[in-house]
Amino acid sequence: QVQLQESGPGLVKPSETLSLTCSVSGASISSYFWTWVRQAPGKGLEWIAYVYYSGSTTYNPSLKSRVITSVDTSMNQFSLRLTSVTAADTALYYCARVIGYCSGGMCYSGRFDPWGQGILVTVSS
Amino acid sequence: QSVLTQPPSVSGAPGQRVTISCTGSSSNIGGGFDVHWYQHLPGTAPKLLIYGNNNRPSGVPDRFSGSKSGTSGSLAITGLQAEDEADYYCQSFDSNLSGSVFGGGTKLTVL
């Protein structure tokens, strides 16, 4: 079955760049759209980005200026970089596969399944 | 402030039925975009519960059902069990944001 696993530093200093990788097994990274979602402590889920191996991406407008995503087809992984982080970026970060109709970097009927276990990233000096 | 509005909490006794609403607008649910529902237990990965408004993935008990009408979606859980105690989130696509939006989440307590 399809499995996803997030990895990266659990602690990032303010103003620095958060970098996470999602490793995918059981499916080809080039066959689907993928997504990043986060959950700040005590808060709900927040969608961050859609990612496709071709470079088609869509970002949450509230984060767009600070988000960079990439796909490594040789490693079957995709990555998230979030620049100039603050304490407000402290959250559990999840990656997930998108299933549904996607076009032009957007996933109009996309559901997220499955999800990775999540990785807690704390922004603190 | 979430784009989709859910009640913060609902509760019910074992065996009872509860519903969780998810209210949006014409740019998301009311615009014809699908509603999906997730069950989230702390410390675990969110699990897809309902997709495409009213479809259950394989393995999800038929105690869980979804519906959509106008600008709202709804999740119903019948025959409540202690293991259903979790946070539930709705999700849809929003044409103004050109991306996915979630509800704020609803904590289900089984009394």
Side-chain angles (χ1 to χ4, degrees):
Chain A
Q1 81 263 25
V2 180
Q3 293 184 311
L4 294 87
Q5 180 67 58
E6 304 89 348
S7 61
L11 181 64
V12 182
K13 290 183 168 54
S15 79
E16 294 191 346
T17 296
L18 176 161
S19 296
L20 298 175
T21 296
C22 182
S23 300
V24 178
S25 61
S28 171
I29 198 90
S30 57
S31 296
Y32 297 91
F33 272 75
W34 306 89
T35 191
W36 289 98
V37 175
R38 71 180 183 179
Q39 183 179 33
K43 304 289 187 182
L45 300 172
E46 179 183 30
W47 170 74
I48 299 171
Y50 297 129
V51 180
Y52 193 53
Y53 81 100
S54 67
S56 263
T57 56
T58 303
Y59 301 143
N60 187 320
S62 68
L63 298 169
K64 186 175 182 177
S65 63
R66 298 193 292 127
V67 171
I68 304 165
T69 57
S70 61
V71 176
D72 185 340
T73 54
S74 66
M75 297 291 288
N76 222 42
Q77 295 174 337
F78 61 102
S79 299
L80 170 73
R81 296 180 67 210
L82 184 63
T83 64
S84 304
V85 298
T86 69
D89 295 310
T90 293
L92 256 173
Y93 285 78
Y94 295 97
C95 57
R97 180 180 62 172
V98 184
I99 300 177
Y101 175 65
C102 299
S103 176
M106 287 184 277
C107 293
Y108 301 95
S109 63
R111 60 190 186 267
F112 303 161
D113 182 46
W115 298 56
Q117 285 295 310
I119 183 168
L120 177 62
V121 179
T122 301
V123 178
S124 174
S125 55
Chain B
Q1 199 77 346
S2 300
V3 173
L4 305 179
T5 301
Q6 297 180 232
S9 63
V10 297
S11 62
Q16 285 190 332
R17 177 181 187 269
V18 296
T19 61
I20 299 173
S21 60
C22 174
T23 303
S25 67
S26 59
S27 65
N28 41 70
I29 299 174
F33 298 108
D34 287 342
V35 181
H36 314 297
W37 290 91
Y38 302 88
Q39 180 189 60
H40 190 201
L41 292 157
T44 70
K47 172 188 173 183
L48 180 67
L49 207 57
I50 297 289
Y51 69 93
N53 307 315
N54 55 14
N55 300 287
R56 280 187 310 276
S58 171
V60 173
D62 59 8
R63 301 187 297 105
F64 297 89
S65 63
S67 63
K68 173 186 164 181
S69 179
T71 59
S72 295
S74 184
L75 173 70
I77 310 172
T78 59
L80 266 182
Q81 299 180 3
E83 68 202 47
D84 298 333
E85 195 161 281
D87 295 322
Y88 293 83
Y89 292 89
C90 60
Q91 176 231 333
S92 187
F93 178 86
D94 189 278
S95 57
N96 287 342
L97 299 176
S98 297
S100 275
V101 289
F102 286 96
T106 298
K107 182 174 182 58
L108 168 63
T109 301
V110 180
L111 302 170

